[in-house]
């Protein structure tokens, strides 16, 4: 598997849009950049992170989407999008062992995390976004907060690797984890529950919010509801649509609970969705026997590469999404 499809869509400024003519959003841009790192395309990956650093807003955030050198969506700035930058930076460091890279992006990471934690409530949950004027949109998403939980793990690791203070971030992560496990009423307060989405089911496992026997039990509870045998994982439980990226993420969640056999079988079923140009179709509507949408997103290939690394141990970052690896300040031996 190659990152060539991603490389061919990366823009001169370093941004990675969803597809030719599409926009780039910070979260999916980082997902694609991690795929570049795995494939040894380190310069291209570093260009991707430099692009985000260059356009970071003064408060540490990024707009929801960018296109052709400008802002495509200036209506909001999403907290999990902003936090994911730390995940990408830590991932690239794990792959390359480049301490200079890690150190150079510390200010960008610190500003991003401070923005995100400025949206944390006293209950531990984190507002999902601010609007165009910077006013918090006061509700929280399970999947979004789980993603932030993993990003905080990465940010804390970056801080500890660089001998920077991280105690407030550690406390915030603990509080967020408690809210996700014990305070379900803090999520989906102002809109319909997102429980129909498979990510709300497996993201607590993928990101380490729920571990061990509880994680294994969680995956078992809704397996038949979301997984279509020999096809993949459904995006939502009420539509006959399996998606490649969610199936890749579920693959890594399965590895996290020791279900390697299921993980391998699920992942093997996804290669049928690769097109001749190396890209992967986003999803498949099995009722109609049709690819839908007719898009081959860069972040879908990024997810395929992350799952491949998790399964095969291709890089030193292979365990990032299959377990919690929270460093302590006392740890002196680091990758690289």
């Amino acid at each position: 598997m190659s990152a060539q499809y991603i490389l061919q869509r990366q823009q001169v400024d370093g941004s990675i849009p969803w597809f030719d003519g599409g926009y780039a959003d910070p979260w999916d841009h980082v997902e694609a950049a991690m795929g570049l790192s795995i494939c040894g395309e380190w310069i291209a990956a570093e260009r991707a992170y430099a692009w985000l650093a260059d356009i970071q807003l003064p408060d540490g955030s990024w707009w929801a989407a960018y296109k052709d050198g400008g802002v495509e969506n200036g209506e909001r700035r999403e907290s999990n999008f902003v936090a994911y930058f730390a995940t990408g930076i830590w991932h690239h460091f794990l792959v390359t062992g480049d301490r200079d890279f890690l150190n150079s992006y510390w200010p960008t990471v610190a500003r991003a995390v401070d923005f995100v934690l400025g949206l944390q409530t006293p209950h531990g949950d984190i507002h999902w976004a601010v609007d165009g004027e910077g006013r918090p949109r006061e509700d929280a998403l399970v999947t979004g907060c789980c993603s932030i939980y993993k990003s905080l793990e990465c940010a804390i690791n970056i801080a500890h690797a660089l001998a920077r203070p991280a105690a407030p971030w550690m406390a915030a992560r603990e509080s967020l984890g408690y809210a996700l496990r014990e305070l379900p009423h803090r999520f989906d307060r102002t809109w319909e529950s997102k429980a129909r989405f498979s990510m709300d089911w497996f993201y607590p496992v993928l990101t380490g919010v729920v571990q061990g026997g509880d994680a294994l039990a969680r995956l078992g509870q809704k397996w038949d509801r979301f997984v279509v045998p020999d096809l993949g994982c459904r995006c939502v439980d009420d539509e006959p649509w399996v998606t490649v990226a969610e199936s890749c993420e579920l693959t890594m969640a399965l590895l996290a609970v020791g279900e390697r056999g299921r993980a391998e079988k699920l992942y093997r079923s996804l290669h049928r969705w690769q097109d001749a140009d190396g890209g992967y179709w986003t999803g498949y509507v099995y009722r109609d026997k049709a690819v839908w949408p007719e898009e081959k997103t860069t972040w879908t290939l990024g997810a395929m590469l992350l799952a491949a690394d998790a399964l095969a141990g291709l890089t030193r970052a292979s365990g990032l999404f299959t377990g919690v690896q929270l460093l302590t300040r006392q740890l002196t031996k680091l990758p690289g």
Side-chain angles (χ1 to χ4, degrees), residues 31-331:
E31 189 86 344
M34 288 193 286
L36 293 176
S37 298
I38 291 166
C39 289
E41 300 290 348
W42 296 353
I43 293 175
E46 289 166 11
R47 287 179 54 230
Y49 294 120
W51 173 70
L52 279 177
D54 288 345
I55 64 170
Q56 188 179 37
L57 297 171
D59 66 359
S61 68
W62 289 276
W63 292 110
Y66 297 84
K67 185 178 181 181
D68 298 331
V71 177
E72 174 73 2
N73 185 340
E75 296 180 0
R76 64 183 184 275
R77 289 167 275 150
E78 299 189 27
S79 54
N80 71 305
F81 282 20
V82 175
Y84 209 49
F85 182 81
T87 302
I89 295 299
W90 182 244
H91 176 270
H92 189 71
F93 169 70
L94 288 176
V95 172
T96 66
D98 187 344
R99 294 170 182 272
D100 290 338
F101 169 85
L102 196 66
N103 191 62
S104 67
Y105 283 102
W106 167 254
T108 312
V109 169
R111 286 192 295 267
V113 173
D114 287 346
F115 169 82
V116 171
L117 295 187
L119 297 175
Q120 189 168 35
T121 77
H123 304 279
D125 54 306
I126 295 175
H127 296 315
W128 76 280
V130 299
D131 65 18
E133 302 302 318
R135 294 181 294 261
R137 294 190 173 183
E138 297 185 353
D139 205 341
L141 294 160
V142 171
T143 297
C145 280
C146 285
S147 179
I148 293 171
Y149 186 81
K150 172 57 74 170
S151 292
L152 287 174
E153 174 191 326
C154 295
I156 292 164
N157 287 347
I158 293 169
H160 283 167
L162 298 175
R164 305 278 185 161
W169 295 359
M170 295 178 73
R173 178 178 174 275
E174 290 179 9
S175 182
L176 176 59
Y178 179 82
L180 284 162
R181 289 186 293 269
E182 306 295 339
L183 304 176
H185 60 279
R186 293 299 305 171
F187 301 87
D188 300 336
R189 302 191 308 275
T190 62
W191 52 60
E192 185 180 353
S193 169
K194 304 292 185 185
R196 60 190 281 264
F197 288 84
S198 61
M199 289 187 294
D200 267 25
W201 162 55
F202 67 74
Y203 250 68
V205 178
L206 176 68
T207 59
V209 175
V210 181
Q211 301 179 55
D214 290 341
L216 184 60
R218 184 182 183 91
L219 293 185
Q221 287 167 1
K222 296 183 180 179
W223 182 266
D224 293 334
R225 180 171 163 182
F226 286 113
V227 179
V228 182
D230 301 319
L231 280 182
C233 181
R234 298 165 82 176
C235 178
V236 292
D237 65 8
D238 55 351
E239 295 290 346
W241 181 42
V242 294
T243 49
V244 174
E246 275 87 347
S247 298
C248 290
E249 292 173 328
L250 179 56
T251 294
M252 292 185 283
L254 287 166
L255 289 173
V257 298
E259 289 281 347
R260 172 166 282 273
R262 278 188 173 184
E264 291 175 344
K265 183 177 181 181
L266 176 61
Y267 188 73
R268 284 196 301 268
S269 72
L270 304 177
H271 295 295
R272 74 189 73 183
W273 312 125
Q274 187 173 32
D275 200 17
D277 61 5
Y280 280 77
W281 297 105
T282 299
Y284 177 75
V285 180
Y286 51 87
R287 178 189 58 200
D288 302 333
K289 298 182 179 179
V291 165
W292 187 86
E294 292 188 8
E295 299 170 354
K296 291 169 286 187
T297 47
T298 51
W299 45 265
T300 293
L301 180 52
M304 285 292 297
L305 290 164
L306 285 166
D309 193 16
L311 282 163
L314 304 173
T315 77
R316 289 176 291 187
S318 61
L320 182 59
F321 291 102
T322 59
V324 175
Q325 302 172 12
L326 195 62
L327 302 184
T328 66
R329 187 177 294 276
Q330 290 70 38
L331 188 62

